[in-house]
Amino acid sequence: MKKIMNLALTGTLVAGLAAGCTPVKETSKEGTAKPAGESAKPVSLKMTVLPDDLDTFKLVFDEFKKENPNISVQLDTIPQQQYYDKLRLQLSSGDDIDLIGGNMDVFLDTGILEPLDDYIKKSNVDVSGFGPLYDNLKVNDKMYGLPYRKSNWMLYYNKTLFDKMNVPYPKADMTWEDFRELAKKMTQGDGANKMYGAFLHPWAQTWYIQAVQTGASIIDKDLTPFKNALQFRMDMEKDGSIMSWAEQITTSAHYNSAFQKGNVAMNLIGDWHIAQLRTAEQEKKINFDWDVVPVPHPAGVAPNTSLATPVSLMLNKSSKHKEEAFKLLQFMTTAKGAKIFAAKGFLTGYTNDDIRKAYIGDGSMKPKNIHYFVEQKEYPEYPLLPGIKNIVLNNIYKQEGEMALTKAQTADQAIQKIGERIQKEWADKYGKDFKAAAKK
């Protein structure tokens, strides 16, 4: 896991939205012209995608159906907080979902994913646009999904608050200690009117990101960087410059609503926040200026180094229309679909010069410094192994980290237990897969 992967992978994850079922219609064989009077057999597909991605999927499908008028698709979503649990339940119950959007590792242990290698070969998919990400997404030399976007992180900041406080904006080259001092400087007031210097969402990623920035993996034998990262978050809570984990949970505080409220100076979160803030501006829900700079980095680590996670589109092994479903999957994840996602502010798994230009835009939309996203050096959040997301991250790191953040144990105790539980609850189960992935 020491090697750097020039991806710009993601998580997890985004603001919860209401569930929805959005029928969209029409589509079929990509790029295949039919003789006059001849039409392909109508096919209806069902796809479930993350809530914040739904509107853009609709736009991409509108383009797809121009070339494939015989294929229709029902686009569904599930509220963010329930998304993976509910979707896994639906799939295990035999729901006729053809295409699945989300973090691929969540589904690796279900046996419901169709290997895509034969489809990719048969369709002559140009995988070069995925770069190193393509090979790094393989599991046991098989490809189970193609990334339509990837998530790496940035530091968002409220320029209006910094101007009001007459404090210089965050720098592009800032260590975590620099960030901590700046957060202290930007914190003022108390109670309901308190202005926080920063907001770190309750996810474990927001404290262990600085360990991953060094090239460390969440399944390393030596988890010292993670102990230091957890202690850092706990120290910032003592400073009072960030909302405590306990208060976040009891008040249901969320990075998006907290930042949009206008009393948070800096917000550490993923690239998907751009689309959320742009939408809020269009709806006139925010009235402050904002921008981004690279995530703070540990001393000795290069500036603009990020944690990254891929978000993929996958094919259900039980689909009755696999050829048509793959045709839609291919369109959504490669050049044509990626350009539309990029124009809407999403970092894409597939990229080329046109897609990069679409992502950066003409400079008329915020953030001004969006170019930092396509210049990042990235490390994967974790290796793609069955169960690593559900067991290691969502259970072990989450539970032990929260015990520390509620002061039920120290950072040292939390990381020691994490290491022990990884061996007992996950490593033993996956045996040689773990030994191959873990550092010697």
Side-chain angles (χ1 to χ4, degrees):
M1 294 309 302
K2 276 285 184 187
K3 78 171 184 179
I4 298 168
M5 296 200 293
N6 292 319
L7 325 174
L9 292 166
T10 180
T12 219
L13 288 290
V14 288
L17 300 178
C21 292
T22 309
V24 187
K25 295 194 175 176
E26 330 268 70
T27 331
S28 177
K29 295 239 172 187
E30 187 180 56
T32 302
K34 290 284 179 185
E38 182 181 343
S39 61
K41 182 179 178 181
V43 172
S44 180
L45 301 174
K46 186 175 180 181
M47 181 191 306
T48 303
V49 299
L50 289 158
D52 276 5
D53 301 344
L54 179 62
D55 288 343
T56 307
F57 268 107
K58 293 180 190 177
L59 294 176
V60 179
F61 184 79
D62 286 343
E63 290 301 311
F64 173 77
K65 71 180 180 180
K66 293 176 183 177
E67 300 179 9
N68 304 271
N70 70 307
I71 299 178
S72 63
V73 64
Q74 177 178 309
L75 280 163
D76 297 342
T77 191
I78 299 167
Q80 181 63 43
Q81 292 182 337
Q82 307 166 25
Y83 187 81
Y84 289 107
D85 288 341
K86 188 171 182 180
L87 184 51
R88 281 172 62 95
L89 182 61
Q90 289 177 345
L91 291 165
S92 66
S93 300
D95 200 324
D96 60 345
I97 299 169
D98 298 281
L99 292 166
I100 307 151
N103 295 117
M104 188 170 70
D105 48 284
V106 176
F107 304 100
L108 287 174
D109 60 344
T110 64
I112 58 98
L113 300 183
E114 175 84 358
L116 301 181
D117 305 85
D118 290 343
Y119 298 91
I120 291 169
K121 183 178 180 180
K122 181 179 178 181
S123 301
N124 292 317
V125 179
D126 176 14
V127 299
S128 63
F130 294 109
L133 178 57
Y134 184 78
D135 285 332
N136 285 310
L137 281 175
K138 289 183 177 179
V139 179
N140 296 325
D141 293 324
K142 290 189 177 183
M143 183 64 71
Y144 290 94
L146 291 177
Y148 64 90
R149 68 174 174 88
K150 54 190 177 184
S151 298
N152 40 341
W153 290 40
M154 198 64 67
L155 186 67
Y156 298 75
Y157 66 97
N158 185 321
K159 296 175 72 174
T160 302
L161 286 182
F162 277 89
D163 291 341
K164 183 178 179 181
M165 293 278 289
N166 197 29
V167 174
Y169 298 147
K171 296 178 181 178
D173 183 356
M174 187 166 57
T175 67
W176 284 101
E177 285 301 329
D178 294 335
F179 167 73
R180 182 181 178 186
E181 292 305 312
L182 186 56
K184 289 180 187 178
K185 189 177 293 187
M186 289 299 295
T187 299
Q188 65 175 17
D190 51 37
N193 297 319
K194 181 170 183 176
M195 183 176 84
Y196 286 99
F199 189 90
L200 301 183
H201 200 61
W203 298 334
Q205 290 95 326
T206 55
W207 60 261
Y208 73 49
I209 182 173
Q210 57 183 285
V212 176
Q213 285 176 300
T214 67
S217 166
I218 64 174
I219 58 170
D220 284 351
K221 291 181 179 178
D222 179 5
L223 293 174
T224 301
F226 292 87
K227 179 189 72 175
N228 297 337
L230 178 56
Q231 186 63 57
F232 183 87
R233 156 108 199 197
M234 295 169 71
D235 290 343
M236 286 196 74
E237 288 193 11
K238 289 178 184 176
D239 296 339
S241 59
I242 62 171
M243 187 182 294
S244 70
W245 181 89
E247 185 178 352
Q248 288 175 329
I249 299 304
T250 55
T251 62
S252 298
H254 191 275
Y255 69 85
N256 188 24
S257 56
F259 192 65
Q260 288 189 26
K261 187 177 178 182
N263 64 342
V264 169
M266 296 178 287
N267 190 23
L268 180 70
I269 205 67
D271 65 284
W272 61 86
H273 195 35
I274 290 176
Q276 294 171 336
L277 292 175
R278 286 177 175 176
T279 298
E281 286 188 319
Q282 291 168 0
E283 296 174 351
K284 302 188 184 306
K285 292 181 179 178
I286 58 176
N287 58 3
F288 57 83
D289 197 6
W290 59 278
D291 206 345
V292 297
V293 291
V295 174
H297 60 87
V301 170
N304 204 11
T305 297
S306 173
L307 163 155
T309 310
V311 187
S312 301
L313 199 56
M314 297 151 276
L315 175 58
N316 188 345
K317 185 182 291 185
S318 300
S319 171
K320 296 180 179 64
H321 306 287
K322 293 179 184 178
E323 294 291 339
E324 293 84 358
F326 179 77
K327 184 176 289 294
L328 179 53
L329 185 156
Q330 177 184 348
F331 190 96
M332 292 279 184
T333 58
T334 53
K336 293 179 181 179
K339 189 171 181 179
I340 298 172
F341 271 102
K344 285 297 179 179
F346 292 98
L347 275 172
T348 55
Y350 191 100
T351 191
N352 57 33
D353 288 343
D354 286 342
I355 293 168
R356 278 187 284 270
K357 288 176 184 177
Y359 181 76
I360 293 173
D362 61 4
S364 62
M365 297 180 69
K366 295 173 188 170
K368 180 180 178 181
N369 288 321
I370 193 171
H371 62 91
Y372 285 126
F373 279 104
V374 294
E375 299 166 357
Q376 282 187 331
K377 173 182 177 181
E378 300 124 0
Y379 285 99
E381 184 180 342
Y382 44 77
L384 282 180
L385 293 170
I388 196 167
K389 173 88 169 183
N390 298 326
I391 300 173
V392 177
L393 180 55
N394 290 345
N395 288 339
I396 300 174
Y397 269 83
K398 182 176 184 293
Q399 292 166 3
E400 299 301 336
E402 290 175 359
M403 288 284 284
L405 293 170
T406 55
K407 301 178 176 61
Q409 62 184 357
T410 65
D412 283 353
Q413 291 169 332
I415 299 303
Q416 181 178 347
K417 288 181 180 178
I418 286 171
E420 292 170 352
R421 289 183 62 186
I422 286 174
Q423 291 291 335
K424 181 179 179 181
E425 299 177 28
W426 184 77
D428 289 348
K429 179 178 179 181
Y430 290 102
K432 53 186 180 180
D433 283 341
F434 169 72
K435 292 175 184 176
K439 291 192 201 125
K440 299 289 189 265

